[in-house]
Structures are given as structure tokens and as C-alpha cells.
Amino acid sequence: MDDRIAFGKTGEDLACRELERRGYAILARRWRQRAGEIDIVARDGRTLVFVEVKARSGPAFGAAVEAVAYRKRQRLVQLAQFYLTINRLSNCPCRFDVVSIDLTMERPDVQVFQNAFDAGAA
């Protein structure tokens, strides 16, 4: 496994742990379709949550949450719509969260940004 993939998996593992600690139920990890991938699909109560995980090991690329730019949001919304369609969840409330992980400190700093963006604004 190359270093970038291992780093991503470490970030997703930390994100899942934090989300579960907050009461989320993890439904899928690395849900893939030809158009891309959703890092984590979870349920928070009755709400379906599509989670983008951004980990950083240094300040070179800015804050992790800033990396979810307009194009990435558009792709996530399209993938989420596809997920809802193929799983026949058309009336399910959903939202987009971003988990930001800073690995520059002794202990990872994991932050969850609920409703990080609106599907209509993507």
C-alpha cells in the first residue's frame, strides 16, 4: 500500500472513531462509483450523512476543511444523489459533514463540521 493510501486510511479510521463516539452509525467506507468516492456514509439519528475526510500532516496545503472546494462539493452532491437513488432513499433527510484531521501535533486533532455545505450551494 502506498504512503498516500495508508495516510488516507489512517485519517478515515480516526474519523470513524470520532463519529462513532458522537453516536453516528457507520454504514459504508470508501463507497465508490465511477464518478468518484464518498469517504464515509453514516447515519446520525434519522439523518443520512455523507462525510468527506481531510487529513493534513503539515500546513503546506492549508486547513483540511478548506480543501473541500466547489468542484469537490459538486462531485459529493452528485455521488450522494446516486447513493440515495440506488438505495431507494428519496425521502431520507441528509447532510454533508467534513471531518478535519490535523496530524501535526502529538495527538491527532479531529474536528467534525456538521452541515459543512448545502447541496444547493454546491
Side-chain angles (χ1 to χ4, degrees), residues 48-116:
L48 194 61
V49 185
F50 300 98
V51 182
E52 178 68 10
V53 178
K54 289 295 178 187
R56 292 288 184 255
S57 60
F61 297 104
V65 73
E66 294 169 355
V68 186
Y70 180 74
R71 282 186 175 251
K72 180 66 174 181
R73 292 193 308 263
Q74 280 184 310
R75 187 173 301 122
L76 288 169
V77 169
Q78 289 174 330
L79 287 164
Q81 289 170 337
F82 189 59
Y83 182 93
L84 292 168
T85 300
I86 66 171
N87 288 290
R88 298 182 180 164
L89 298 168
S90 60
N91 292 324
C92 182
C94 61
R95 70 171 191 256
F96 296 89
D97 289 4
V98 173
V99 176
S100 173
I101 302 168
D102 183 351
L103 296 168
T104 61
M105 296 174 257
E106 187 176 314
R107 301 183 91 195
D109 179 32
V110 181
Q111 296 181 41
V112 178
F113 297 89
Q114 292 185 335
N115 270 327

Side-chain angles (χ1 to χ4, degrees), residues 9-74:
K9 185 171 180 337
T10 298
E12 288 173 12
D13 290 345
L14 289 166
C16 283
R17 260 186 252 137
E18 178 60 22
L19 294 171
E20 287 173 332
R21 187 186 73 74
R22 292 174 179 233
Y24 291 53
I26 306 302
L27 304 178
R29 288 182 62 172
R30 294 186 173 186
W31 186 82
R32 291 178 181 254
Q33 292 299 312
R34 192 169 23 184
E37 174 183 287
I38 298 174
D39 293 333
I40 300 169
V41 180
R43 194 169 280 285
D44 182 16
R46 294 183 46 233
T47 303
L48 194 61
V49 185
F50 300 98
V51 182
E52 178 68 10
V53 178
K54 289 295 178 187
R56 292 288 184 255
S57 60
F61 297 104
V65 73
E66 294 169 355
V68 186
Y70 180 74
R71 282 186 175 251
K72 180 66 174 181
R73 292 193 308 263
Q74 280 184 310

